[in-house]
Amino acid sequence: MTAELHAITTTVNGTRYSRRVESRLLLSDFIRHDLGLTGTRVGCEHGVCGACTILYDGLPARSCLMFAAQANGHEITTVEGLAPERGRLDPLQEAFRAAHGLQCGYCTPGILLTMKAFLAENPSPSEGEVREALSGNLCRCTGYQHIVDAVLLAAARRHGESPA
Amino acid sequence: MKPAPFRYVAAESIERALALKAEHGDDARFLAGGQSLIPAMNFRLAQPAVVLDINPLRELDFVRAAGAGGLRIGALTRNRTLERDALIAQRQPLVREAVPHVAHPQIRNRGTLGGNLAHADPASELPALMLALGARLRAQSARGERWIEARDFFRGVFTTALRADELLAEVELPGLPPRTGTCFMEVARRRGDYAMMGVAAVVTLGEDDRCTHARLAYCNAGATPVSAASAAQALVGSPLGEGQIHDAAAVAQREIDPLGNVHASKAFQRHLAGVLTRRALQTAVDRAKAGG
């Protein structure tokens, strides 16, 4: 059976890509295999773990629960798009480094994109709000404590405060 | 690749999507938020021959005021909007209270009202809300349209009254009468997990503070969302004191028929239903007295 192909154009991290994709190609696999952007991780592939979270038109979404064909005409940000330039990190990434907000790092890209959007919407969150916002991202190493610390540190630095 | 092969069609118009659904019937599935359909396809539990993506149909994404304090909400309205829309928060605070319990922020950014209801997972919160609020659902097909009462819509696990050629297009929620209080509560193992038990309570008080109308609806309490009509009826005319609320909760515990699973036995689900019903009713009464 010859697979039906769809011509799509999508903007990822500010760069336009035009590709032909099979209907059943998941957006997560498109990003990793077709575009070579392997920062996006694939974990459970059924929407539970959050490792494949990207920003889709600015909002966090599971890229394993979308088809690449749907992304035609839409904008995507992956973890590769966070840092402002080579050699510099986004302030959120800096906070994760400073607070030791990761161990193996597999869940980190999904968490960074989820928290990037969360802090844009809620710049001064409580610890409880951070934990709730993290509920859709599984981390099996850290016990979450340092991740929560890192997010609160990023928020505090943005306000020019030292964290409590 | 994980899903089985299928033909993908991005809908250009409702008419075209309905024509294709009429042509392919049960072999075609509408794709809205995809937060239940795509996992099922990734596991190959669902293998539709045709996927009709209705995300381009922006005209199905709306929240509008209707007469007498009512609301009309398009099927493609995301959970994110249900959670944040000011008109919904004002007219239907029960929706605002329940939606943050639906999965996680990433899922709520994509998942839609219509997709959730058409999926008809009895453990999901939104179907129970539709029963509690007396919603009507508009089904559209190439043949025309019809309105279905929420109590007639849910037929079984993942089964609705929608016919093979129909699209769930819109939901209408009637306005709440004055002195109505609502409350949603659930118990889940972890934030965002399906509830082991959840209840939506709606109570209207007369001028003498006696109950003139009540509804109780439960998620994960049977093969469909379950309405506890006898328990609600027992409340009507009562001053809703501690004793009456306790008695109504006991009736509701017998009325529901939870399926039980590895996370919660039937007996534990019934226990939760009793506790949650008492708390939710008391909160709804307090809110009604405070002016809804």
Side-chain angles (χ1 to χ4, degrees):
Chain A
M1 169 177 169
T2 310
E4 177 194 40
L5 295 179
H6 302 269
I8 65 165
T9 298
T10 180
T11 303
V12 182
N13 304 327
T15 302
R16 278 164 64 89
Y17 296 90
S18 293
R19 295 285 190 279
R20 290 166 66 78
V21 298
E22 197 177 333
S23 292
R24 59 180 175 148
L25 180 65
L26 295 173
L27 183 55
S28 47
D29 289 336
F30 171 75
I31 290 168
R32 289 177 54 84
H33 302 163
D34 292 50
L35 304 186
L37 296 170
T38 52
T40 299
R41 302 292 196 257
V42 169
C44 70
E45 298 194 88
H46 63 283
V48 172
C49 77
C52 69
T53 301
I54 56 161
L55 299 184
Y56 186 79
D57 293 335
L59 295 177
R62 314 286 210 211
S63 60
C64 76
L65 296 189
M66 297 188 67
F67 297 114
Q70 292 183 267
N72 187 33
H74 291 271
E75 286 197 18
I76 290 166
T77 303
T78 67
V79 70
E80 289 91 342
L82 281 182
E85 61 186 88
R86 201 170 184 83
R88 275 181 64 203
L89 293 176
D90 181 89
L92 181 61
Q93 293 171 307
E94 286 285 3
F96 269 70
R97 184 161 74 178
H100 191 51
L102 62 146
Q103 286 183 32
C104 87
Y106 202 83
C107 67
T108 310
I111 288 180
L112 286 171
L113 289 158
T114 303
M115 290 300 108
K116 183 78 180 166
F118 168 69
L119 287 176
E121 211 165 50
N122 186 353
S124 305
S126 67
E127 181 185 333
E129 288 168 337
V130 172
R131 287 185 179 277
E132 184 174 331
L134 273 171
S135 69
N137 295 84
L138 295 183
C139 170
R140 301 291 80 165
C141 302
T142 64
Y144 300 98
Q145 189 56 52
H146 289 182
I147 298 174
V148 174
D149 291 347
V151 177
L152 291 172
L153 176 65
R157 282 179 172 176
R158 197 159 143 167
H159 295 288
E161 304 154 12
S162 52
Chain B
M1 287 187 227
K2 299 207 85 175
F6 60 88
R7 180 180 158 210
Y8 169 87
V9 181
E12 294 156 13
S13 69
I14 293 181
E15 293 69 29
R16 181 81 188 114
L18 293 177
L20 282 168
K21 190 74 169 89
E23 182 187 339
H24 294 282
D26 286 332
D27 290 337
R29 295 289 298 269
F30 289 118
L31 171 62
Q35 303 300 288
S36 298
L37 176 60
I38 298 181
M41 291 176 70
N42 284 350
F43 283 124
R44 300 204 177 192
L45 296 170
Q47 299 193 16
V50 180
V51 170
L52 302 170
D53 182 3
I54 60 169
N55 284 281
L57 305 178
R58 304 315 307 167
E59 63 268 41
L60 291 175
D61 181 0
F62 61 84
V63 178
R64 287 186 203 127
L71 282 176
R72 297 178 74 147
I73 308 178
L76 204 58
T77 305
R78 314 272 172 197
N79 281 307
R80 174 187 176 81
T81 305
L82 300 180
E83 200 177 345
R84 287 171 171 78
D85 185 88
L87 189 63
I88 291 176
Q90 181 203 339
R91 294 198 168 190
Q92 290 294 353
L94 186 64
V95 174
R96 172 66 189 83
E97 186 168 46
V99 169
H101 292 282
V102 179
H104 308 288
Q106 297 97 328
I107 304 282
R108 296 198 293 275
N109 286 341
R110 294 296 303 163
T112 67
L113 174 62
N116 178 292
L117 299 179
H119 183 57
D121 187 329
S124 179
E125 291 84 355
L126 297 176
L129 290 194
M130 297 302 112
L131 290 184
L133 296 174
R136 293 199 308 154
L137 294 80
R138 186 165 64 84
Q140 205 175 335
S141 72
R143 294 174 291 118
E145 62 170 43
R146 63 183 177 122
W147 286 93
I148 307 169
E149 297 289 334
R151 64 173 178 272
D152 301 323
F153 184 79
F154 302 101
R155 296 285 173 83
V157 178
F158 305 139
T159 307
T160 71
L162 287 173
R163 296 179 186 132
D165 64 345
E166 285 180 325
L167 168 73
L168 173 56
E170 177 182 6
V171 171
E172 184 180 62
L173 302 176
L176 299 175
R179 303 207 78 209
T180 297
T182 63
C183 182
F184 181 85
M185 286 185 182
E186 72 172 43
V187 175
R189 288 255 167 204
R190 288 167 299 263
R191 184 82 197 182
D193 278 10
Y194 280 111
M196 291 185 281
M197 180 57 59
V199 60
V202 179
V203 174
T204 304
L205 303 181
E207 285 178 11
D208 56 358
D209 277 357
R210 284 179 183 269
C211 175
T212 58
H213 171 84
R215 270 213 187 94
L216 289 166
Y218 297 81
C219 53
N220 214 354
T224 62
V226 177
S227 187
S230 301
Q233 192 54 43
L235 291 167
V236 174
S238 105
L240 297 170
E242 204 176 312
Q244 286 100 12
I245 286 177
H246 194 278
D247 291 347
V251 174
Q253 280 179 305
R254 291 192 296 272
E255 251 184 310
I256 63 173
D257 186 21
L259 305 175
N261 61 38
V262 68
H263 298 296
S265 66
K266 287 184 190 205
F268 183 51
Q269 286 185 289
R270 279 215 161 83
H271 166 75
L272 289 175
V275 174
L276 290 171
T277 303
R278 291 195 292 275
R279 289 180 188 170
L281 275 175
Q282 188 59 59
T283 304
V285 170
D286 293 345
R287 288 173 176 173
K289 286 180 178 168

